[in-house]
Amino acid sequence: MEKGALELVHQRAADLTNRLRLLQGRTQLAVSFVPSHETNFIGYFSNNLNSELASALGPKYAYLPPERGDQADIVILTAHGSDLSTRLWQLREKIRKDAVIAIWLWDNHLRHFQNYRTALAADFVFPSHAYMAGYLFNPLSVIGGHVPACSAQWTCDEVRNILDMNPVQSRKHKALANYVDYPLSWRSGVLRELKERVPEAEVLLMPPDDRSRYFSKTSEQRFHEWLQYKATIILPVEKDLSTRVFDALLAGQVPIVPTLVEDFDLVIPPQMQMELGIVRVKEVNVDALRSSISAALAAFDRMGEMGVRQRQEYVLNNHMLPNRIDSMLGNILDMAQKTSIVAGFGQFGFGLYLMPRA
């Protein structure tokens, strides 16, 4: 690397360290959460999201809605696999020079080039998938802590209101598999075989270019779809821990999770998996899944309504969107208190790394 370029990288590290220290000195921080345009076409996030975040974040933070994000001290945006670098650079022209832009990558296990370009335009990057985060290290932004997926289609109040109106609901003795059908994915064949051979599997598919089967429903109707079943089959496209694990638990279902899901034990410890009745499966084939479905349905019946409530409260208290926003904000402030940002060679090559302060 040329000397001039190296000096610029060191200046970038010093600038980010200084901005963290400025954040630490403020009694209250203005924070904004901006879902990316990638989710607009399906209306993924709740219309009540901003009011939930305004009330859920503690007194340390003053929440600003997305339209006022350029006034915030910390702006957190989501990215879902597209290149959002242009949008971030445009935002940088509007916000204060000492403000911080953080990006939460929901799909960093896929589309590496697009995610890397997005990361270069941010100040701090939070990957959803820890097992595939190494390639994101770069000379312009800091890779923060692992912030996994969560249940984000509904607010906590929305869920509790639906459950209060439907305290006990009869469920089909089946495992739900409601997926986008990607024809080139290995998953497509497994789902079709499940549909043909396993009557206890409720396979509901929709094409990538038409997701109306699920997303044309109201958010309440979507949640009722989950509430109709006792279990869910988790079949990731790669090895990713997806939102549907938390959606299933939120609906009181017993998830069937392949051991190939890399980050699962990091997010839900094995002891908690046992307490919630979660079923793990080593081989992703129809015969193994059939046995796991039977085990999951039996676990649901054995644990009864108490198990349903336990799974629901576990997600409501630990794995909703406000939990993840709070985690990212806490991580940023923790970096401000305990670390400095340095440029150099580390485990993942040349980039910006966090170093504990002496």
Side-chain angles (χ1 to χ4, degrees):
M1 182 177 290
E2 295 183 3
K3 183 178 180 180
L6 189 59
E7 289 177 352
L8 288 175
V9 175
H10 284 293
Q11 289 175 9
R12 172 68 171 162
D15 174 59
L16 288 175
T17 298
N18 184 57
R19 274 193 271 168
L20 283 178
R21 289 174 178 172
L22 290 175
L23 290 177
Q24 184 184 5
R26 294 179 183 140
T27 56
Q28 189 178 58
L29 295 170
V31 174
S32 186
F33 176 69
V34 185
S36 79
H37 66 281
E38 298 161 286
T39 58
N40 289 348
F41 79 105
I42 55 175
Y44 185 82
F45 294 98
S46 168
N47 292 330
N48 298 314
L49 172 61
N50 289 319
S51 59
E52 177 180 58
L53 291 176
S55 61
L57 298 180
K60 177 70 177 177
Y61 309 109
Y63 182 75
L64 302 178
E67 60 269 21
R68 295 179 59 198
D70 56 355
Q71 304 171 34
D73 299 301
I74 302 173
V75 185
I76 299 174
L77 302 95
T78 63
H80 305 268
S82 298
D83 176 3
L84 299 187
S85 57
T86 298
R87 187 181 185 197
L88 296 189
W89 290 119
Q90 291 171 342
L91 175 62
R92 194 174 296 282
E93 293 178 353
K94 298 178 182 179
I95 62 174
R96 298 196 317 272
K97 298 299 181 183
D98 59 350
V100 163
I101 297 175
I103 192 82
W104 183 18
L105 299 176
W106 281 38
D107 289 300
N108 61 283
H109 61 304
L110 303 171
R111 299 183 179 181
H112 294 187
F113 179 73
Q114 292 91 331
N115 282 311
Y116 189 78
R117 284 178 59 89
T118 299
L120 287 172
D123 296 319
F124 297 92
V125 179
F126 295 99
S128 286
H129 309 295
Y131 79 94
M132 191 56 73
Y135 77 92
L136 293 167
F137 281 77
N138 67 84
L140 296 180
S141 62
V142 175
I143 309 305
H146 172 215
V147 180
C150 63
S151 190
Q153 295 184 59
W154 312 275
T155 66
C156 292
D157 284 346
E158 288 170 349
V159 171
R160 293 192 185 281
N161 288 337
I162 293 171
L163 295 177
D164 286 344
M165 294 175 64
N166 302 271
V168 178
Q169 179 167 328
S170 61
R171 299 181 185 236
K172 298 179 184 179
H173 194 69
K174 289 188 174 186
L176 178 65
N178 53 348
Y179 281 95
V180 176
D181 185 12
Y182 297 109
L184 299 180
S185 169
W186 66 270
R187 185 175 72 187
S188 180
V190 174
L191 288 168
R192 294 182 186 282
E193 192 175 356
L194 275 172
K195 189 171 186 177
E196 292 176 3
R197 294 178 50 196
V198 183
E200 294 81 16
E202 186 81 284
V203 180
L204 305 174
L205 302 178
M206 52 188 175
D209 58 351
D210 182 6
R211 305 190 185 189
S212 59
R213 188 212 68 76
Y214 181 77
F215 285 104
S216 65
K217 299 179 179 182
T218 66
S219 61
E220 183 174 349
Q221 289 170 335
R222 290 184 221 162
F223 194 58
H224 276 292
E225 177 172 298
W226 290 92
L227 288 171
Q228 292 176 35
Y229 301 90
K230 294 181 178 181
T232 282
I233 306 165
I234 305 299
L235 292 176
V237 171
E238 218 243 2
K239 299 178 181 180
D240 50 301
L241 172 56
S242 66
T243 57
R244 69 178 52 251
V245 170
F246 306 101
D247 293 344
L249 289 168
L250 185 63
Q253 296 180 359
V254 174
I256 301 159
V257 185
T259 55
L260 60 79
V261 178
E262 290 273 355
D263 298 332
F264 195 71
D265 290 350
L266 291 175
V267 180
I268 304 180
Q271 179 60 38
M272 180 56 66
Q273 296 173 33
M274 293 178 60
E275 293 177 15
L276 297 174
I278 294 172
V279 174
R280 306 301 303 273
V281 57
K282 292 182 179 179
E283 297 184 37
V284 186
N285 58 56
V286 171
D287 290 335
L289 289 172
R290 180 192 285 112
S291 298
S292 297
I293 290 171
S294 296
L297 295 175
F300 182 94
D301 290 344
R302 182 178 65 255
M303 298 177 73
E305 190 61 28
M306 184 176 296
V308 169
R309 286 295 184 186
Q310 182 181 4
R311 290 185 286 272
Q312 290 170 336
E313 290 298 325
Y314 175 70
V315 176
L316 285 167
N317 293 326
N318 299 284
H319 296 291
M320 299 295 285
L321 193 59
N323 300 115
R324 300 298 189 251
I325 302 300
D326 187 67
S327 175
M328 285 182 275
L329 293 172
N331 192 204
I332 290 172
L333 293 182
D334 194 55
M335 285 188 265
Q337 295 170 359
K338 300 178 182 179
T339 64
S340 296
I341 300 167
V342 299
F345 287 93
Q347 180 182 359
F348 301 104
F350 186 80
L352 300 184
Y353 288 86
L354 294 167
M355 297 293 290
R357 288 187 197 160

